[in-house]
Amino acid sequence: MPLSLEQLLTLQAAADTGSFSAAARRLGKAQSVVSTAIANLETDLDITLFERGGRYPRLTPAGEQILRQARQILGQCEALTAYAGELATGVEPKLTLAIDDDSQLPWLGGILEAFALQFPQVELELLFPLMEDLVEMLLSGRAQLGIGYEPQLPREELCCHSLGRVGLPLVVAPHHPLAGMRQVTRETLQGQRQILATGHGTGPERSRFRISTQVWWVEGDQAMLEIVKKGLGWASVPEVLLAAPLKNREVVRLHAAKALGQPSLQLGLWWHRAHPLGRAGLWLREALTHADIRKAHP
Amino acid sequence: MPLSLEQLLTLQAAADTGSFSAAARRLGKAQSVVSTAIANLETDLDITLFERGGRYPRLTPAGEQILRQARQILGQCEALTAYAGELATGVEPKLTLAIDDDSQLPWLGGILEAFALQFPQVELELLFPLMEDLVEMLLSGRAQLGIGYEPQLPREELCCHSLGRVGLPLVVAPHHPLAGMRQVTRETLQGQRQILATGHGTGPERSRFRISTQVWWVEGDQAMLEIVKKGLGWASVPEVLLAAPLKNREVVRLHAAKALGQPSLQLGLWWHRAHPLGRAGLWLREALTHADIRKAHP
DNA sequence: ACAATCCATCTATTCAACAGATGGATCAGA
DNA sequence: TCTGATCCATCTGTTGAATAGATGGATTGT
């Protein structure tokens, strides 16, 4: 590497100040140092960087190009040291957020965007494991933060902060037999095919919503919604997914009888009690805690 | 700048080889040098880069991130020295190509693309001056290469290589009175408004095509074509511009009587005899010389 | 248990970077 | 045109940081 950052820094100073002496003053060195540094750089690169005709040295066209690249390199070096400073003060280099349900992404979007602005160098990893795996990931340290349904497998080592209750309205396609009814009872629902989500949250949480005698299992909420759109059955779908389909009249809500109750799930933010978060993790946890999960953050 | 390229290079070698001793061997230095270099870098950045528990040091997550940035910086440094090498062997940092007529861009496109691949760091400047200015630019050194119409102001100092003849077919809008005629004569043309290009090639070259008694002047070939499309007159338009409008039936060709002749211009590549071109300029001149100006290079 | 490596640390040396001085050149103002 | 201020290149002596080599403790594989 026939190159040193000192040389590039000297080149930059000389170009900025327009004189070797001024550059030396700015760098707190002797003028001869600047003079020889530039000369050495020139012989190293085999290029004339400055035109020395007159009183002040002038950058040659080639010098301008080299200077441009030098500035870029110096900028990157500054970025490196700045990032190192962040790491030194407790920003973790990598952060993994495990989410039990990808239907939560809409309201997460804005927060993640803000996170990217705040911690541009931190590698963020988003995973969508099953709930059981989510717990495992938090316990093993594979993930630092988790979003999942709350009252499940409460573990000593895990902390949880409630994010609110996610409604799961009953929906069907507009041309579905149930669509025209003023109110549906357990009995009427039982007579029609129910679409249930599997894969995500297969545990007792969702299974307790099983009502019909005839059930189809579908992996993923989005896929479930597509099946409903086709008129193949009714389902409980997370509210956040319904705005557009309801507006486009692809699905309609069912009005459940009082006795049936409104299906809903408690969403929680999880982390490990014994694995302290870095600055980025703390920031993200704070942001998630104060987020409104009913709104899509812009 | 609490940082040196040597340190980054050492970090890279240590990470690549997986051991400080191996890194030292690869760098041709003593093992203690690598060991202290890494240690110094760690204290400079206030970060633990390697986990020293076992026999071999292992990169920490933070170390991986820093290494990524270090690699980028080292890559840029290599690019800088490589570019400097090119400059040293005669590639000019900047090249200006002056073109008399922007209608020539279609066939230039592919060549310029290849140029960008061949000389990614060279700044290319494309200018579209009037012919008189083009000559001036070549004489003053403001431009190194020029494309313009040939037999004009032949200067002692300028060289020219012919690029071929550009046809200038007569066209009108489909609903124009002349459109239906089998053959047009000078007399019939004289009776209709002629659209002539000004700005580019105002000199004797284009003015000699003046036929009609009534003339509109328009700056730029593209603008001229638009006027013709509106049915406001007839014009001689460079062939390269006509492919799409003819296909879309926005304009139609007129068939000129033999006596009238087919208007055309000789296109030439110009440069200054006394200003030697660099490697990039030579490459471009060669490419332009062998190009077929009738085809759009992909 | 032994051989082979590994890394950290210490020390002596060497060489490159540096400050300061000098001289020739340029520019602005008298 | 002369002078003072400032510029850059170059030389020189000195200092200090980078280096090699040796040593010791630790780990791994046989």
Side-chain angles (χ1 to χ4, degrees):
Chain A
M1 186 65 54
L3 205 61
S4 91
L5 291 181
E6 287 289 326
Q7 287 175 312
L8 299 186
L9 211 56
T10 310
L11 167 63
Q12 190 183 34
D16 286 347
T17 60
S19 120
F20 292 178
S21 301
R25 285 191 290 273
R26 180 155 119 180
L27 296 173
K29 305 192 175 183
Q31 171 257 319
S32 64
V33 175
V34 174
S35 199
T36 54
I38 298 290
N40 285 337
L41 185 58
E42 285 180 318
T43 53
D44 283 350
L45 299 179
D46 199 17
I47 285 181
T48 303
L49 296 172
F50 286 91
E51 202 66 60
R52 270 108 162 159
R55 181 173 172 77
Y56 291 93
R58 291 187 320 277
L59 264 182
T60 61
E64 281 182 44
Q65 303 286 357
I66 294 293
L67 172 62
R68 201 161 300 164
Q69 299 209 22
R71 281 192 205 279
Q72 209 176 341
I73 290 172
L74 291 171
Q76 296 221 350
C77 287
E78 267 186 47
L80 188 148
T81 52
Y83 179 43
E86 289 194 354
L87 289 176
T89 58
V91 174
E92 57 273 62
K94 212 170 177 181
L95 187 63
T96 299
L97 174 62
I99 305 168
D100 180 26
D101 189 339
D102 56 357
S103 68
Q104 302 306 322
L105 270 181
W107 67 270
L108 273 175
I111 294 175
L112 297 183
E113 206 172 315
F115 180 86
L117 278 178
Q118 194 80 15
F119 301 99
Q121 299 279 8
V122 173
E123 276 189 25
L124 185 65
E125 190 176 25
L126 288 182
L127 299 176
F128 301 97
L130 308 183
M131 185 67 194
E132 312 84 67
D133 292 335
L134 191 155
V135 171
E136 174 54 35
M137 292 177 112
L138 289 174
L139 289 175
S140 70
R142 174 72 180 82
Q144 286 80 51
L145 282 172
I147 292 175
Y149 297 112
E150 198 174 324
Q152 199 159 6
L153 312 174
R155 289 285 200 126
E156 173 82 352
E157 308 94 309
L158 299 185
C159 296
C160 179
H161 180 282
S162 174
L163 290 175
R165 188 161 275 278
V166 176
L168 295 166
L170 305 177
V171 291
V172 293
H175 58 277
H176 189 275
L178 292 176
M181 303 185 66
R182 300 199 73 167
Q183 211 178 42
V184 293
T185 62
R186 175 173 293 270
E187 287 69 30
T188 53
L189 287 175
Q190 279 176 337
Q192 295 289 335
R193 181 186 300 117
Q194 179 180 7
I195 314 296
L196 270 172
T198 182
H200 298 156
T202 323
E205 271 307 302
R206 292 247 185 149
S207 285
R208 75 164 190 230
F209 294 136
R210 177 170 187 160
I211 291 176
S212 291
T213 47
Q214 194 188 352
V215 165
W216 277 13
W217 297 95
V218 179
E219 177 160 355
D221 291 304
Q222 197 63 52
M224 190 169 71
L225 188 59
E226 293 302 317
I227 300 290
V228 170
K229 283 183 193 171
K230 296 255 188 296
L232 296 171
W234 64 271
S236 271
V237 178
E239 236 160 1
V240 281
L241 290 180
L242 289 176
L246 281 175
K247 193 179 169 198
N248 300 341
R249 304 279 304 161
E250 295 171 306
V251 299
V252 296
R253 293 173 86 123
L254 295 179
H255 299 277
K258 279 265 167 60
L260 206 56
Q262 158 92 337
S264 69
L265 289 171
Q266 190 77 17
L267 206 61
L269 178 61
W270 299 78
W271 64 92
H272 197 290
R273 193 184 299 279
H275 295 170
L277 292 169
R279 287 229 321 271
L282 290 173
W283 185 98
L284 186 56
R285 191 174 74 191
E286 209 57 25
L288 290 172
T289 302
H290 294 121
D292 184 346
I293 64 174
R294 284 156 200 287
K295 287 183 193 161
H297 291 239
Chain B
M1 184 67 52
L3 205 62
S4 91
L5 291 181
E6 287 289 327
Q7 288 175 311
L8 299 186
L9 212 56
T10 312
L11 167 64
Q12 190 182 33
D16 285 349
T17 59
S19 119
F20 291 177
S21 301
R25 285 192 290 275
R26 184 206 264 198
L27 297 173
K29 306 194 174 182
Q31 172 257 320
S32 64
V33 175
V34 173
S35 200
T36 54
I38 298 289
N40 285 337
L41 185 57
E42 284 180 318
T43 53
D44 282 350
L45 299 180
D46 198 18
I47 285 181
T48 304
L49 296 172
F50 286 92
E51 203 64 60
R52 266 99 161 173
R55 183 172 171 78
Y56 292 92
R58 293 187 318 278
L59 263 183
T60 61
E64 280 183 44
Q65 302 287 354
I66 295 293
L67 172 63
R68 201 160 300 162
Q69 299 208 21
R71 281 193 205 280
Q72 207 176 342
I73 290 171
L74 291 171
Q76 296 220 349
C77 287
E78 267 186 47
L80 188 148
T81 52
Y83 179 42
E86 288 194 354
L87 289 177
T89 58
V91 174
E92 58 273 63
K94 211 170 178 181
L95 188 63
T96 299
L97 174 61
I99 305 168
D100 180 25
D101 189 338
D102 56 359
S103 69
Q104 301 307 321
L105 270 180
W107 66 271
L108 273 174
I111 294 175
L112 297 184
E113 206 172 317
F115 180 86
L117 278 177
Q118 194 82 14
F119 302 97
Q121 299 278 9
V122 173
E123 277 188 28
L124 184 65
E125 189 177 26
L126 288 183
L127 299 176
F128 301 98
L130 308 184
M131 185 67 192
E132 312 85 66
D133 293 335
L134 192 155
V135 171
E136 174 53 35
M137 292 177 112
L138 289 173
L139 290 175
S140 70
R142 174 71 181 83
Q144 286 79 53
L145 282 172
I147 293 175
Y149 297 113
E150 199 175 323
Q152 199 160 5
L153 314 173
R155 290 284 202 126
E156 172 84 353
E157 308 95 307
L158 299 185
C159 296
C160 179
H161 180 282
S162 174
L163 290 174
R165 187 161 279 274
V166 176
L168 294 166
L170 305 177
V171 290
V172 293
H175 58 277
H176 188 274
L178 292 176
M181 303 184 66
R182 299 201 74 169
Q183 212 178 43
V184 293
T185 61
R186 175 173 293 272
E187 287 69 32
T188 54
L189 286 176
Q190 279 176 337
Q192 294 291 332
R193 180 187 301 117
Q194 180 178 8
I195 314 295
L196 271 171
T198 180
H200 297 157
T202 324
E205 272 307 301
R206 292 249 184 147
S207 285
R208 74 166 191 228
F209 294 135
R210 177 170 187 159
I211 292 178
S212 290
T213 47
Q214 194 189 350
V215 166
W216 279 11
W217 297 95
V218 179
E219 175 158 356
D221 291 305
Q222 198 63 51
M224 189 168 74
L225 188 58
E226 293 303 317
I227 300 290
V228 170
K229 283 183 193 171
K230 295 254 187 298
L232 296 172
W234 64 272
S236 271
V237 178
E239 236 161 0
V240 281
L241 290 179
L242 288 177
L246 281 175
K247 194 180 168 197
N248 300 340
R249 304 280 303 159
E250 295 172 306
V251 299
V252 296
R253 292 175 85 123
L254 294 178
H255 299 277
K258 279 264 169 59
L260 206 54
Q262 158 92 336
S264 69
L265 290 169
Q266 189 78 18
L267 206 61
L269 178 62
W270 299 79
W271 64 92
H272 197 291
R273 191 183 302 278
H275 295 169
L277 291 170
R279 288 229 320 272
L282 290 172
W283 185 97
L284 187 56
R285 189 173 76 192
E286 209 58 25
L288 290 173
T289 302
H290 295 120
D292 185 345
I293 64 173
R294 285 157 199 286
K295 285 181 194 165
H297 290 238

